């Protein structure tokens, strides 16, 4: 625990120093980034230790706040979430040092570094806190510091709007958490997590679960509470989006899973509900991602998709738990939680890659890019690794976690009764569809951005980013590959983590899945050998033969230009057309007419379905209602006194009743 | 015999799915006619050991009316109205099939819950699925002919439901339902003819302009 | 019996291109032509292996990696499916997932290689390929889940020999898998391998720019894909005994594969290509068949 306290102290102190030295961009960056990296490295040590030994450490200090105490608890579950937080934060700090340099003339970077370090520390505190007040305070600091980071370019109108959306969503979420914790803590003096009610009635547990699902789900970005995600991520600076999408939204998952440990044995419908929400988030997330034209907004929607996969894993786990099938329970949770780490790695990588593209080309409009892999090979190849990983393809890490969720769903679908089995098979169908569509989306993202010919002048002039930016990306890519191959070795360490939730480690079941993964790894190794052999064979065959260079075959047309290439929008068009029912893409077109048409154009954009059809009507309604309520605002003093008197009288009568 | 019933039920569900996914009206009518004949045979198969004149009457009525008379009326409707396929349904064909799958799942769940005895576990779910399919078509399609098909399919579902407990449902009720649908198809046929003549199309959702 | 499974892999490596020959012969028979020789696919592959290559100036390393990764992926798939009741070398619980996903990896890189050329025709093909395969994936996996529930196993090598073809649900799965088979292998009614218009192709247009050994790898890879996916269907339809007479069931399974090729040829001779917007409907139908089969197995 002392390591962790030191690490958090270093991170916060670094943040404060960079705030103090805000005038010198060099000092503030050095303090901010340096402290973040150092603190994160120190913090990883105890997290790994706890996972390795499977024990729990606590620290409790008195705190002068009603109902509060400074109670930290580091159990395997917390440690498991701390690992991606520290790893990604350290790498993002290194990357951010270089990325933010471009803004050193315009912005006071000291302030941003202060909030950055505060965000890292508060995320860690959220995972560590074992007292409600401490948890909520950390939760709010996390929300606020990330709000200020999103609003980095506050002088732009859309950035301000997006940050406000984020802020409001965040508070609406917290509004559900507060009553939940109060219900759980009824009757205890300190709202410590271990004082929470032990035997809560099923009805209360149901209410708490729903509240937790809305409250934590808003942070995690599950549909329909996702609206802030696709607006906030694109406007935030790339390192911030990487951090928020990679790990901050996972604190929502952490909160949900932590809440499950308070609620005891779940009824079947919790798992079913979470599974259905997961499938909806996953499928709609990837569909909306396909319809986007902005690289970062595309990635933001993919966060929703991956949160959906995580929710599916947890839902499958809950179904297994409530029907008493340890294989399904342990593997469902293990797969879902492993996907938390995996998503942190590849989504962090992809956002950093997008940032690198933006840094060099100054646009993220997919249809304005192209051919970047020749100009930016390091960014390109690491992005490719991220793209393969996020599509859940072997031999990378995305496949490992999806494989475990699949195994859980299959084991359940084979043995369970009709009702749960039907939902588990829909999980299989959902994962398969999401996998296929994610592959479609990332062949689009990678193929259009990095392959082919540059579509604009700017893309033509792209240059590779500096090593400070590519090195963290390479680190993340290496982690994706490593987890892909070392899955069978790493999976057994999941059993203390799932054990925290299920109060039984189920090591035997997890060990079995690890054995299956061993075959997967064997297959992957053989695959790499085969790739090497076939590549060798080809260079052998080609040695001494002519290797010609020509133009791409374009069916005999004589003067191809880069603008004639297939665009991202046309690539995604068949899918979008097919799922028009959900996407409701809006199109504006001017059809070319007459024999010699002078101009024609076509645009399409896909507004978010939740924002357009759920929140907009609701908020407009609320707005109208309060406009009507304006009558009570007379603006005259004695009227207000009258209100107060009436209120007091009503309260008095109510009390005397 | 049980496996014969099972295969018939599977064919019934598959024909429901086909009706949800296909757009060509003539094909849909053929499928509905196939469903009618299937159900006629089913009524006999269910009670092979105890065939009564009443049963033969029901089976024959179903076979002839649903297998030949309705399709004939509907085909005539098409000929007169000139509608070959639905152009723009409220719910697309793929979404309809997916909805059909959901209805199938719900039917199996309901079938397990309902306190009904059936000779085969597939009978009640298949009956419910057919019922839901009919209702769905009535709701989701604009074309009056398609809605008419929906009524027939719904009746097929009710009929299958009745066969499950054929001993208990009075003949009169069964014939009454059949007659209802018969009249419905007849009236619809006339209505279709007139809608078409008045408005030059068959979209019943535009009937609301009549309310003035 | 490891020797048997190694022999099985060798048989696959040797005989896969023959399936293309059988399909083409069948089509020729129906058209009243003599048709190309039965071993034409072998000749094509050998010819391409002997040639040099031409690369487009636009392409990068991805374009060169595509065929190599594709062939390696399908070879892994070959090591997963059993043949004639003999367990495959890479058989474990859950191998059906890596089977489906390694073919996904093959497709991912084929699509990227197509996009790497910057040709709008290849982009078009790629765009169709990703949509259709995304819809075919659920049909395949749910169908396999139904078989898994029927046989209480999660490994293709245990599932396929244990399944009996006689129940209606297995028939439904077989039909669904046949649709997936035609789609994944770019056959009629999904894609016409013999069409001459780049605008209407799916798979063929994506590999337009490949030449020489690269193209040989692609040809060989798609022949193997025809073989491995066919083995899944044949495994369901044909009973297999893995006793000491394994070679008899292996021979009968290979006979079954050739029969499947004839069926594909018949389908190609008697059906026209579907309009592109109809294809998703057929794939959704395949998915519904699989799901219905699963529900039937559930009872």
């Amino acid at each position: 625990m002392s390591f962790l306290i030191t690490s958090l102290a270093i991170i916060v102190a670094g943040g404060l120093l960079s705030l103090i030295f805000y005038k010198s961009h060099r000092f503030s960056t050095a303090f901010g980034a340096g402290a973040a990296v150092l603190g994160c490295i120190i913090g990883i040590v105890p997290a790994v230790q706890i996972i390795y030994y499977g024990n729990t450490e606590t620290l409790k200090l008195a705190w002068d706040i009603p109902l509060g105490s400074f109670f930290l608890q580091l159990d395997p579950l917390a440690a498991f979430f701390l690992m991606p937080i520290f790893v990604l934060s350290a790498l993002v700090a290194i990357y951010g040092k270089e990325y933010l340099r471009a803004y050193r003339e315009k912005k006071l970077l000291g302030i941003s570094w202060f909030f950055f370090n505060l965000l890292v520390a508060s995320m860690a505190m959220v995972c560590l806190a074992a007292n409600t007040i401490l948890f909520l305070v950390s939760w709010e600091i996390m929300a606020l510091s990330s709000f200020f980071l999103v609003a980095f370019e506050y002088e732009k109108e859309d950035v301000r709007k997006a940050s406000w959306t984020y802020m409001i969503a965040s508070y609406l979420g917290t509004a559900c958490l507060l009553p939940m914790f109060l219900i759980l803590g009824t009757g205890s003096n300190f709202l410590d997590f271990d004082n929470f009610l032990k035997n809560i009635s099923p009805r209360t547990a149901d209410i708490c679960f729903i509240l937790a699902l809305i409250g934590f789900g808003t942070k995690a970005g599950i549909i329909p509470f996702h609206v802030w995600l696709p607006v906030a991520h694109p406007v935030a600076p790339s390192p911030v989006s990487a951090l928020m999408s990679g790990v901050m939204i996972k604190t929502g998952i952490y909160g949900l899973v932590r809440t499950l440990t308070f609620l005891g044995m779940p009824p079947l419908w919790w798992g079913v509900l979470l599974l259905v929400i997961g499938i909806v988030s996953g499928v709609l997330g990837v569909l909306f991602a396909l319809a986007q034209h902005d690289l970062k907004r595309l990635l933001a929607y993919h966060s929703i998709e991956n949160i959906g996969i995580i929710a599916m894993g947890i839902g499958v786990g809950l179904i297994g738990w409530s029907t008493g099938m340890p294989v399904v329970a342990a593997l469902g949770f293990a797969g879902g939680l492993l996907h938390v780490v995996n998503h942190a790695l590849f989504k962090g990588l992809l956002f950093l890659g997008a940032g690198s593209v933006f840094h060099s080309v100054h646009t993220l409009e997919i249809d304005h890019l192209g051919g970047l892999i020749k100009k930016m090979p390091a960014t390109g190849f690491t992005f490719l690794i991220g793209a393969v990983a996020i599509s859940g393809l072997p031999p990378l890490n995305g496949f490992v976690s999806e494989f475990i969720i699949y195994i859980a769903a299959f084991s359940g679908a084979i043995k369970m009764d009709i009702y749960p089995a039907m939902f588990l098979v829909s999980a299989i169908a959902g994962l398969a569809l999401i996998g296929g569509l994610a592959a479609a989306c990332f062949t689009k993202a990678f193929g259009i951005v990095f392959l082919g010919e540059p579509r604009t002048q700017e893309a033509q002039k792209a240059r590779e980013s500096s090593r400070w930016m590519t090195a963290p990306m390479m680190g993340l890519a290496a982690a994706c590959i490593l987890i892909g191959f070392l899955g069978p070795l790493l999976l057994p360490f999941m059993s203390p983590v799932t054990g925290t939730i299920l109060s039984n480690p189920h090591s035997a079941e997890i060990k079995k899945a690890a054995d299956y993964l061993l075959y997967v790894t064997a297959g992957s190794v053989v695959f790499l050998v085969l790739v090497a052999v076939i590549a060798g064979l080809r260079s052998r065959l080609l040695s001494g033969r002519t290797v010609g260079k020509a133009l791409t075959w374009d069916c005999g047309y004589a003067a191809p230009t880069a603008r004639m290439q297939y665009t991202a929008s046309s690539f995604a068009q068949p899918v979008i057309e097919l799922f028009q029912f959900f996407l409701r893409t809006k199109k504006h077109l001017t059809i070319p007419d007459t024999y010699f048409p002078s101009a024609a154009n076509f645009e399409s954009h896909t507004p978010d379905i939740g924002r357009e059809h759920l929140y907009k009507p609701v908020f407009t309604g609320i707005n109208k209602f309060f406009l009507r309520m304006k009558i009570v605002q007379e603006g005259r003093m004695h009227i207000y006194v009258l209100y107060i008197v009436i209120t007091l009288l009503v309260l008095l009568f109510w009390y005397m009743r | 015999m049980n496996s014969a019933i099972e295969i018939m039920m599977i064919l019934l569900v598959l024909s429901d799915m086909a009706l949800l996914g296909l757009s060509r009206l003539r094909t849909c009518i053929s499928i509905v006619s196939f469903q009618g004949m299937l159900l006629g045979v089913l009524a006999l198969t269910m009670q092979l050991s105890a065939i009564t004149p009443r049963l033969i009457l029901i089976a024959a009525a179903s076979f002839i009316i649903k297998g030949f008379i309705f399709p004939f009326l509907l085909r005539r409707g098409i000929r007169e109205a000139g509608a070959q396929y639905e152009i723009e349904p409220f719910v697309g064909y793929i979404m309809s099939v997916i909805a059909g799958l959901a209805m199938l799942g719900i039917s199996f769940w309901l079938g397990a819950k309902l306190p009904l005895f059936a000779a085969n576990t597939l009978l009640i779910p298949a009956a419910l699925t057919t019922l839901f399919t009919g209702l769905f078509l009535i709701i989701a399609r604009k074309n009056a002919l398609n809605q008419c098909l929906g009524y027939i399919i719904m009746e097929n579902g009710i009929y299958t439901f009745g066969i499950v407990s054929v001993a208990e449902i009075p003949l009169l009720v069964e014939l009454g339902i059949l007659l209802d649908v018969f009249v419905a198809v007849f009236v619809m046929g006339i209505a279709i003819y007139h809608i078409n003549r008045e408005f030059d199309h068959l979209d019943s959702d535009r009937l609301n302009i009549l309310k003035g | 019996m490891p020797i048997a499974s190694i022999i099985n892999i060798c048989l696959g490596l040797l005989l896969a291109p023959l399936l293309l020959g059988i399909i083409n012969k069948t089509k020729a028979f129906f058209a009243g032509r003599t048709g190309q020789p039965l071993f034409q696919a072998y000749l094509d592959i050998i010819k391409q292996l002997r040639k040099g290559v031409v690369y487009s100036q636009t392409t990068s390393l991805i374009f060169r990696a595509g065929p190599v990764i594709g062939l390696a992926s399908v070879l892994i798939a070959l090591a997963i499916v059993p043949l004639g009741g003999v367990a495959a070398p890479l058989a474990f619980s859950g191998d059906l997932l890596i089977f489906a996903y390694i073919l996904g990896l093959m497709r991912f890189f084929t699509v990227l290689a197509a996009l790497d050329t910057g040709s709008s025709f290849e982009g078009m093909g790629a765009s169709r390929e990703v949509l259709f395969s995304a819809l075919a994936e659920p049909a395949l996996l749910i169908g396999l889940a139904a078989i898994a529930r029927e046989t209480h196993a999660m490994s293709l090598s245990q599932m396929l020999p244990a399944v009996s073809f006689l129940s209606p649900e297995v028939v439904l799965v077989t039909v669904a898998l046949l649709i997936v088979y035609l789609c994944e292998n770019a056959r009629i009614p999904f894609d016409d391998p013999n069409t001459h218009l780049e605008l209407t192709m799916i798979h063929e247009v994506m590999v337009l720019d490949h030449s020489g050994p690269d193209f040989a790898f692609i040809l060989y890879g798609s022949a193997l894909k025809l073989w491995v996916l066919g083995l899944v269907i044949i495994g369901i339809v044909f009973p297999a005994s893995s006793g000491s007479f394994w070679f008899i069931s292996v021979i009968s399974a290979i006979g079954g594969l050739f029969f499947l090729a004839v069926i594909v040829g018949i389908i190609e001779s008697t059906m026209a290509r579907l309009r592109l917007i109809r294809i998703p409907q057929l794939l959704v139908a395949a998915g519904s068949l699989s799901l219905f089969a699963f529900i039937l197995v559930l009872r």
Side-chain angles (χ1 to χ4, degrees):
Chain A
M1 202 44 116
S2 51
F3 267 95
L4 262 181
I5 300 293
T6 322
S7 120
L8 292 182
I10 290 175
I11 295 174
V12 175
L16 286 173
L17 281 175
S18 72
L19 188 63
I20 293 168
F21 291 99
Y22 73 94
K23 283 202 174 142
S24 146
H25 116 269
R26 184 169 302 165
F27 275 125
S28 54
T29 305
F31 281 123
V37 173
L38 183 65
C40 289
I41 292 172
I42 296 175
I44 290 171
V45 178
V48 171
Q49 239 172 12
I50 293 285
I51 298 267
Y52 190 80
Y53 294 110
N55 58 340
T56 302
E57 283 181 26
T58 52
L59 173 79
K60 199 166 188 175
L61 301 171
W63 199 20
D64 239 1
I65 281 182
L67 300 173
S69 66
F70 195 81
F71 183 20
L72 300 183
Q73 187 180 31
L74 181 62
D75 59 1
L77 183 62
F80 184 77
F81 277 86
L82 282 181
M83 282 194 303
I85 291 177
F86 283 136
V87 170
L88 194 63
S89 303
L91 291 173
V92 165
I94 299 172
Y95 178 97
K97 168 206 163 288
E98 185 68 21
Y99 185 87
L100 292 180
R101 237 163 63 98
Y103 296 91
R104 64 182 183 277
E105 307 293 326
K106 289 180 275 179
K107 297 274 172 190
L108 293 172
L109 296 184
I111 298 172
S112 300
W113 280 110
F114 169 68
F115 285 119
F116 181 86
N117 285 21
L118 211 55
L119 174 63
V120 176
S122 60
M123 284 192 297
M125 277 304 280
V126 163
C127 296
L128 286 171
N131 174 282
T132 302
I133 305 295
L134 188 61
F135 180 88
L136 286 176
V137 167
S138 321
W139 187 259
E140 284 308 300
I141 293 177
M142 182 175 84
L144 279 173
S145 49
S146 51
F147 165 76
F148 284 112
L149 287 172
V150 170
F152 180 67
E153 290 180 271
Y154 53 85
E155 67 278 357
K156 292 184 186 156
E157 170 78 26
D158 57 332
V159 175
R160 282 202 303 274
K161 264 192 181 159
S163 356
W164 283 119
T165 312
Y166 170 50
M167 187 93 258
I168 292 164
S170 187
Y171 275 119
L172 287 179
T174 315
C176 291
L177 295 184
L178 210 55
M180 182 203 78
F181 278 118
L182 289 178
I183 294 172
L184 281 174
T186 318
S188 68
N189 290 331
F190 298 100
L191 290 174
D192 288 351
F193 286 176
D194 51 2
N195 287 353
F196 279 169
L197 295 173
K198 287 288 171 297
N199 298 314
I200 41 178
S201 71
R203 170 81 42 100
T204 323
D206 288 351
I207 295 172
C208 288
F209 176 73
I210 294 291
L211 287 173
L213 195 60
I214 300 174
F216 290 122
T218 311
K219 184 62 78 182
I222 55 175
I223 287 176
F225 314 117
H226 65 285
V227 274
W228 66 271
L229 241 152
V231 288
H233 281 309
V235 300
S238 290
V240 175
S241 341
L243 198 59
M244 283 173 63
S245 182
V247 287
M248 194 201 73
I249 60 172
K250 307 302 169 28
T251 56
I253 298 291
Y254 168 78
L256 186 64
V257 174
R258 178 63 77 189
T259 312
L260 287 175
T261 64
F262 307 143
L263 298 180
M265 186 75 177
L268 183 58
W269 68 266
W270 292 7
V272 169
L273 178 65
L274 203 54
L275 181 59
V276 170
I277 287 182
I279 295 174
V280 171
S281 305
V283 174
L284 287 189
V286 69
L287 282 178
F288 275 96
L290 263 166
Q292 301 309 315
H293 307 305
D294 178 294
L295 187 55
K296 276 175 82 179
R297 183 164 288 140
L298 179 147
L299 292 176
Y301 272 113
H302 265 286
S303 295
I304 298 174
E305 175 231 307
N306 278 282
I307 287 289
I309 294 179
I310 294 168
M312 280 163 79
I314 296 174
V316 169
L318 279 173
I319 291 178
W321 190 3
S322 56
T323 51
M325 281 197 57
V327 189
V328 183
L331 292 185
F333 276 108
L337 292 180
L338 196 60
H339 204 73
V340 168
V341 171
N342 288 340
H343 180 240
L345 296 174
F346 52 64
K347 186 47 72 62
L349 168 58
L350 291 169
F351 264 119
L352 296 187
S356 176
V357 168
F358 184 74
H359 196 71
S360 136
V361 191
H362 305 292
T363 178
L364 284 171
E365 196 68 29
I366 298 175
D367 285 338
H368 291 176
L369 300 165
L372 291 183
I373 199 162
K374 287 184 217 117
K375 313 269 163 47
M376 315 173 70
T379 307
F381 279 101
T382 48
F383 195 95
L384 174 64
I385 288 173
V388 176
I390 201 173
S391 306
L393 293 172
L396 299 182
N397 60 347
F399 179 70
V400 172
S401 39
E402 287 191 23
F403 178 79
I404 296 167
I405 300 176
Y406 264 125
I407 291 285
F410 261 96
S411 322
I414 289 177
K415 295 208 186 75
M416 281 183 184
D417 287 343
I418 174 161
Y419 179 53
M422 225 137 69
F423 283 103
L424 290 181
V425 83
S426 63
I428 295 172
L431 271 177
L433 185 64
I434 292 170
L437 290 174
C441 193
F442 274 94
T443 45
K444 159 185 147 173
F446 181 77
I448 305 294
V449 173
F450 288 97
L451 302 179
E453 292 286 347
R455 287 178 177 74
T456 51
Q457 285 290 314
E458 290 76 36
Q460 189 85 48
K461 283 182 277 183
R463 287 205 355 252
E464 182 61 283
S465 310
S466 83
R467 292 229 184 94
W468 289 100
M469 282 167 73
T470 52
M473 282 152 53
M474 287 178 186
L476 288 168
C480 288
I481 298 172
L482 274 183
I483 294 186
F485 279 89
L486 299 183
L489 294 180
L490 299 176
L491 189 64
F493 293 111
M494 291 298 294
S495 63
V497 181
T498 54
T500 318
I501 309 159
L502 300 168
S503 54
N504 180 349
H506 294 308
S507 338
E509 279 80 11
I510 290 192
K511 183 77 191 49
K512 219 181 201 174
D515 289 344
Y516 302 158
L517 272 182
L518 201 60
Y519 284 100
V520 174
T521 303
S524 307
V525 172
V526 175
F527 171 74
L528 286 192
V529 172
L530 281 173
V531 168
V533 168
I534 297 169
L537 179 72
R538 183 181 58 187
S539 53
R540 195 66 202 278
L541 283 170
L542 287 182
S543 65
R545 291 191 199 153
T546 52
V547 175
K549 282 263 171 206
L551 284 179
T552 297
W553 167 245
D554 52 355
C555 309
Y557 186 70
T561 70
R563 286 193 59 196
M564 291 164 129
Q565 293 174 91
Y566 224 46
T567 60
S569 324
S570 13
F571 186 80
Q573 187 266 344
V575 186
I576 291 166
E577 204 61 41
L578 186 62
F579 292 96
Q580 192 59 32
F581 185 77
F582 300 113
L583 292 170
R584 294 160 196 274
T585 299
K586 297 200 171 74
K587 293 175 208 152
H588 312 280
L589 73 163
T590 324
I591 302 169
D593 55 357
T594 72
Y595 293 115
F596 302 97
S598 54
N601 75 11
F602 175 82
E603 2 170 339
S604 69
H605 65 109
T606 310
D608 191 90
I609 187 171
R611 196 184 175 86
E612 286 291 306
H613 299 279
L614 182 65
Y615 292 97
K616 214 182 218 174
V618 169
F619 280 107
T620 331
I622 292 175
N623 205 4
K624 267 191 193 146
F625 175 73
F626 282 112
L627 277 179
R628 272 201 208 128
M629 289 294 284
K630 248 166 84 178
I631 323 165
V632 290
Q633 292 279 7
E634 278 286 340
R636 263 176 266 164
M637 179 71 177
H638 43 269
I639 301 282
Y640 289 112
V641 175
L642 180 68
Y643 290 158
I644 294 170
V645 171
I646 292 173
T647 316
L648 284 176
L649 282 176
V650 167
L651 284 177
L652 186 68
F653 282 122
W654 192 55
Y655 184 71
M656 302 295 279
R657 166 179 64 110
Chain B
M1 185 195 86
N2 209 9
S3 65
I5 295 177
E6 191 152 319
I7 288 170
M8 279 187 212
M9 287 300 103
I10 290 172
L11 287 177
L12 182 64
V13 173
L14 287 180
S15 64
D16 289 339
M17 295 297 139
L19 283 166
L20 288 171
L22 292 174
S23 56
R24 201 172 276 272
L25 268 173
R26 277 183 190 281
T27 327
C28 288
I29 292 173
S30 306
I31 293 173
V32 169
S33 137
F34 165 75
Q35 265 193 359
M37 294 191 243
L38 190 73
L39 294 181
V41 177
L42 178 74
L44 291 178
T45 328
M46 287 290 292
Q47 308 278 329
L48 263 187
S49 48
I51 291 184
T52 57
R54 197 189 77 154
L55 199 67
I56 292 175
L57 186 66
I58 294 184
S62 159
F63 196 87
I64 293 167
I65 296 179
K66 288 187 205 151
F68 297 99
I69 299 181
F70 285 172
F72 167 74
L73 289 173
L74 290 168
R75 287 212 179 91
R76 205 184 59 175
I78 288 187
R79 219 176 14 252
E80 280 167 10
Q84 291 296 316
Y85 48 88
E86 173 115 19
I87 296 160
E88 213 177 281
F90 287 119
V91 184
Y93 293 102
I94 290 180
M95 283 316 293
S96 303
V97 174
I98 291 170
L101 289 174
M103 295 187 286
L104 184 68
I106 293 169
S107 308
F108 268 88
W109 180 68
L110 273 178
K113 294 252 157 174
L114 282 179
L116 281 176
F117 171 78
N120 189 300
T121 45
L122 262 183
L123 273 170
I124 293 175
L128 286 173
T129 309
T130 313
L131 184 71
F132 288 143
T133 304
L135 285 171
F136 185 88
L137 284 181
I138 297 171
I139 296 165
R141 299 284 187 267
K142 287 180 183 171
N143 193 306
L145 268 168
N146 245 326
Q147 292 175 334
C148 192
L149 279 180
Y151 280 112
I152 301 175
I153 296 161
M154 193 174 77
E155 202 278 337
N156 283 347
I158 299 172
Y159 177 85
T160 319
F161 220 79
I163 288 179
V164 175
S165 45
V166 78
E168 285 114 63
I169 288 200
L171 173 66
L172 260 177
V173 176
E174 173 53 43
L175 286 181
I177 296 171
L178 208 56
L179 195 68
D180 271 357
V181 178
F182 185 74
V183 173
V185 173
F186 217 77
V187 173
M188 285 293 262
I190 298 167
I192 286 165
Y193 179 69
H194 282 280
I195 296 173
N196 192 47
R197 211 179 52 184
E198 292 299 317
F199 301 102
D200 279 338
H201 58 72
L202 274 184
D203 281 5
S204 59
D205 69 319
R206 292 199 232 164
L207 284 181
N208 60 4
I209 57 168
L210 286 179
K211 77 183 177 190
Chain C
M1 206 180 284
I3 297 176
S5 38
I6 289 166
I7 291 177
N8 278 350
I9 288 199
C10 296
L11 282 174
L13 292 175
L14 277 178
L15 297 178
L18 194 58
L19 292 181
L20 285 170
I22 294 174
I23 293 176
N24 284 331
K25 267 288 176 206
T26 316
K27 285 168 75 175
F29 172 78
F30 271 84
R33 294 180 282 122
T34 325
Q36 43 182 240
L38 202 54
F39 295 96
Q40 183 65 41
Y42 294 93
L43 301 176
D44 286 345
I45 292 170
I46 292 168
K47 180 184 76 184
Q48 293 294 344
L49 278 177
R50 284 189 183 154
K51 289 193 167 184
V53 286
V54 179
Y55 289 121
S56 155
Q57 289 159 357
T58 308
T59 57
S60 64
L61 195 61
I62 304 288
F63 183 76
R64 293 154 181 74
V68 174
I69 291 180
L71 185 55
S73 309
V74 76
L75 286 175
I76 294 289
L78 182 65
I80 293 173
V81 277
L83 170 61
V86 181
L90 195 64
F92 60 100
S93 280
D95 58 3
L96 55 99
L97 297 168
I98 198 164
F99 175 74
Y101 273 73
I102 201 89
L103 292 179
L105 186 69
M106 175 186 190
R107 187 181 313 119
F108 194 90
F109 276 91
T110 312
V111 166
L112 283 188
L115 288 173
D116 201 12
T117 61
S119 150
S120 39
F121 294 109
E122 302 200 21
M124 232 175 257
S127 151
R128 292 162 189 166
E129 172 93 355
V130 291
L131 170 63
F132 300 153
S133 58
L135 295 174
E137 202 94 318
L140 174 68
L141 280 177
I142 303 170
L144 289 179
I147 304 284
R149 174 136 183 145
E150 177 109 339
T151 56
H152 296 285
M154 285 195 292
S155 160
L156 285 175
S157 294
Q158 289 168 18
M159 280 157 57
L160 297 185
V163 69
S164 70
F165 185 62
L166 290 173
S167 58
E169 43 264 35
V170 179
V171 176
L172 292 180
V173 173
T174 311
V175 174
L177 290 187
L178 188 65
I179 297 176
V180 172
Y181 183 71
L182 294 173
C183 173
E184 288 279 326
N185 289 305
R187 314 302 308 188
I188 289 175
F190 293 93
D191 187 11
D192 187 354
N194 291 338
T195 178
H196 291 287
L197 195 58
E198 287 90 341
L199 204 62
T200 61
M201 298 186 208
I202 301 174
H203 182 77
E204 293 301 310
V205 72
M206 287 202 298
V207 298
L208 268 184
D209 263 278
H210 289 284
S211 54
D214 283 337
F215 193 53
F217 294 158
I218 288 174
L219 284 177
Y220 191 44
S222 32
L224 281 172
K225 199 173 173 189
L226 208 59
W227 178 272
V228 291
L229 281 166
L231 276 185
V232 176
I233 297 180
I234 292 306
I236 294 172
V237 179
F238 271 61
S241 66
S242 59
S244 51
F245 290 103
W246 58 271
F247 55 91
I248 295 178
S249 38
V250 166
I251 289 169
S252 74
I254 291 177
L257 266 180
F258 292 161
F259 181 62
L260 181 67
V262 172
I263 292 178
V264 172
I266 294 174
I267 293 174
E268 297 215 344
S269 313
T270 51
M271 278 183 82
R273 240 187 81 155
L274 281 177
R275 279 158 68 205
L276 281 173
I277 53 165
R278 292 265 170 245
I279 291 179
Q281 293 182 10
L282 189 56
L283 288 170
V284 170
S288 339
L289 285 179
S290 291
L291 195 62
F292 185 35
F294 184 83
I295 293 177
L296 287 177
V297 181
L298 268 187
R299 287 179 298 136

